Structures are given as C-alpha cells and as structure tokens.
C-alpha cells in the first residue's frame, strides 16, 4: 500500500508541510525533511521550484526564485533524495508544475520518483482530463498518487470526476486566491468546507491555503482529514534558516 494511503487510514488529523527544495540554502532539502518527520509532521510536500509558479503567493514565489538562483534543478533534487528512504518513512510528495516534468520526460520522471521512494505528485497546472487520458496509466505503473486541487469555484460535477479517478486524497484549496497565510476562515469558506463534506466523496480531503497556526489548523481539520501549511513554514525558514523547525511544528500542533 502506498504510504499516503497508509497515513490516511490513521486515526488522527494529519499535518502536511510544504517547503521549497533548495531553499533557503541549496543543501537544506534533506535536513528539513528529516527534521519535519522528527517533530511529528505526517506528510511532506517538496516544492520543485519553477520560474512561473501561477498558483503560488509571493512568499513561495520568492522562495522558488531564490532556490533557482541557488542552482536547484530537477536533477539536483533527485540526487539530493537518493538516500532519503534510509532515514525518512513518512509520505513524500513532489509538488511542482508540469513543464519541468514534461521536459524531463513524464515516464522517466515517474520512474525516478518510484526509485527514490516518492509517493505522489501535485501538479496544479496539469488538467485532470489530460492526466486521465494521457498520463494516469504511467503514474499508476510507477505507484504514484496524483493529487488534484479543488476550489470553492469547482463545480460538483468536476469534483465528482476528480474523486472518481483519484486514489489518495483531494487537496481542498480554501479560497480561490493564491497561496498565503490567513488569520482564519470566514462563513463563505466554512460553507464550502461543509458542502464538500456533505458530498460523501470516496477520497478524504486535506485543506490547504491559509493554514498558518494552531487556530487555522484546528479550524480546517474540523472539516477535513488534515491540513497543509506552506507559506507560513516558508516564512519561518526565511527567518530562521533550517533551524527551530521543532518550534514551528509545536506551535501548530500543541498551541
């Protein structure tokens, strides 16, 4: 069973953390992954930096630009992750845009992910129907879960289509804006969370965008299996480097 599926059946609310590979320093990638697992994070999204990250807010865009300037590439990330499964057991997901994967070769990219022990991919700009028609068989051949995003604007019909071809979790974007930390969720977002909850989907949902602390993590996980923190953690490593990760995670889980 894929590690993501194993994690999803655990009797707990899940915390997933996103960070940008090669940021703040080029060699920080593995240390950050190890420290996140050590401090109780359930899943990790490793951001593959891209020059035109449409879905990302300014914090993650800036980290992506810096990582590219540091020299991060797809090849280098794969090299850094060569021995990751000797020390890390939780699910690892690569989040990135389709262009670098297409340039690498989709089949070769998926094969390499399997060899390294990557469990899934999140590709915000790969349309679900294109994935379904052209790439699903390749992903499944190499044991990779592809995670799709839905927003408050996604139609029920589209959500059910995504649910039907998914085999992990659905990334429930809390708002239609780009990524970024918010102070809390309003009535409109709460109604959206409830609407999705009432659809009785076969795949659990994990909420992302706007989760930054214990309050927003607790709010989000009332309506979903877990929550994803990205921008707030990237801000933390911008300020402290790859240090004090325990402090950040503790504030989210124990406040």
């Amino acid at each position: 069973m894929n590690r993501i599926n194993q994690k999803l059946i655990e009797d707990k609310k899940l915390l997933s953390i996103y960070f940008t590979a090669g940021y703040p320093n080029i060699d920080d990638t593995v240390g950050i992954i190890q420290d996140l697992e050590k401090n109780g994070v359930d899943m990790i999204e490793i951001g593959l930096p891209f020059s035109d990250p449409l879905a990302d807010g300014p914090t993650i865009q800036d980290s992506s630009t810096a990582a590219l300037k540091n020299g991060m590439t797809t090849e280098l990330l794969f090299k850094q992750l060569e021995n990751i499964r000797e020390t890390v057991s939780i699910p690892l997901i690569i989040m990135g845009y389709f262009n670098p994967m297409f340039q690498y070769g989709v089949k070769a990219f998926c094969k390499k992910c399997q060899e390294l022990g990557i469990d899934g991919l999140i590709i915000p700009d790969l349309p679900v129907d294109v994935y379904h028609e052209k790439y699903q068989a390749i992903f499944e051949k190499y044991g990779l879960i592809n995670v799709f995003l839905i927003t408050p604007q996604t139609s029920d019909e589209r959500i059910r289509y995504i649910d039907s071809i998914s085999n992990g979790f659905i990334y429930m974007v809390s708002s239609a804006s780009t990524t970024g930390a918010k102070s809390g969720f309003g009535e409109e977002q709460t109604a959206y969370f409830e609407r999705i909850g009432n659809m009785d989907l076969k795949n659990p949902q994990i909420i992302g965008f706007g989760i930054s602390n214990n309050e927003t993590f607790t709010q989000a996980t009332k309506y979903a299996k877990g929550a994803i923190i990205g921008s707030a953690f990237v801000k933390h490593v911008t300020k402290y480097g790859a240090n004090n990760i325990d402090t950040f995670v503790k504030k989210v889980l124990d406040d």
Side-chain angles (χ1 to χ4, degrees):
M1 185 188 282
N2 186 291
R3 292 179 193 88
I4 294 170
N5 297 122
Q6 289 175 334
K7 186 59 73 171
L8 290 168
I9 59 175
E10 289 185 13
D11 185 22
K12 63 176 293 195
K13 298 296 187 178
L14 305 180
L15 172 61
S16 181
I17 296 278
Y18 167 95
F19 78 99
T20 303
Y23 180 81
N25 299 304
I26 192 71
D27 294 324
D28 285 337
T29 307
V30 171
I32 287 175
I33 293 170
Q34 292 169 333
D35 279 359
L36 286 170
E37 178 177 45
K38 198 184 305 176
N39 286 287
V41 169
D42 297 291
M43 284 194 281
I44 298 172
E45 294 174 18
I46 305 163
L48 180 59
F50 183 54
S51 55
D52 189 22
L54 301 173
D56 297 316
T59 300
I60 291 176
Q61 283 188 18
D62 290 349
S63 70
S64 204
T65 300
L68 291 170
K69 283 181 181 169
N70 287 344
M72 180 50 70
T73 62
T74 303
E75 284 283 10
L76 180 55
L77 176 59
F78 284 157
K79 188 165 176 26
Q80 290 180 345
L81 296 176
E82 270 177 3
N83 301 309
I84 196 68
R85 285 302 174 194
E86 292 177 11
T87 56
V88 173
S89 62
I90 60 173
L92 298 176
I93 299 170
I94 290 180
M95 183 169 187
Y97 292 83
F98 190 56
N99 185 270
M101 300 176 193
F102 187 75
Q103 296 297 328
Y104 193 91
V106 175
K107 185 175 179 181
F109 190 95
C110 291
K111 184 173 186 287
K112 192 65 180 175
C113 284
Q114 183 189 51
E115 289 169 3
L116 297 171
I118 299 300
D119 303 290
L121 299 172
I122 301 173
I123 313 167
D125 61 337
L126 176 60
V128 59
D129 37 3
V130 174
Y131 165 77
H132 187 33
E133 290 164 19
K134 292 188 175 180
Y135 302 113
Q136 185 169 2
I138 298 171
F139 278 54
E140 290 179 352
K141 177 182 178 181
Y142 293 106
L144 293 169
I145 286 174
N146 195 29
V147 177
F148 293 100
L149 285 72
I150 63 171
T151 75
Q153 281 65 48
T154 309
S155 69
D156 285 7
E157 181 185 14
R158 193 76 169 169
I159 291 168
R160 293 202 183 280
Y161 175 45
I162 286 169
D163 189 47
S164 72
I165 66 163
S166 297
N167 60 344
F169 67 90
I170 292 172
Y171 189 134
M172 188 155 66
V173 176
S174 66
S175 70
S177 64
T178 53
T179 58
K182 310 284 192 302
S183 58
F185 298 115
E187 288 180 17
E188 194 175 323
Q189 286 166 309
T190 301
Y192 158 61
F193 298 158
E194 289 175 344
R195 174 171 72 87
I196 303 303
N198 290 332
M199 288 183 72
D200 197 27
L201 303 175
K202 72 180 174 75
N203 291 278
Q205 300 89 56
I206 296 182
I207 295 175
F209 290 44
I211 320 290
S212 60
N213 52 28
N214 181 262
E215 180 192 359
T216 43
F217 176 76
T218 303
Q219 274 187 294
T221 53
K222 281 181 188 170
Y223 302 98
K225 177 62 180 174
I228 299 159
I229 296 180
S231 295
F233 182 70
V234 172
K235 283 179 182 173
H236 178 86
V237 298
T238 300
K239 186 173 182 179
Y240 298 105
N243 302 307
N244 299 326
I245 286 173
D246 56 336
T247 310
F248 181 88
V249 177
K250 193 168 175 20
K251 281 185 178 175
V252 175
L253 294 177
D254 300 339
D255 250 19

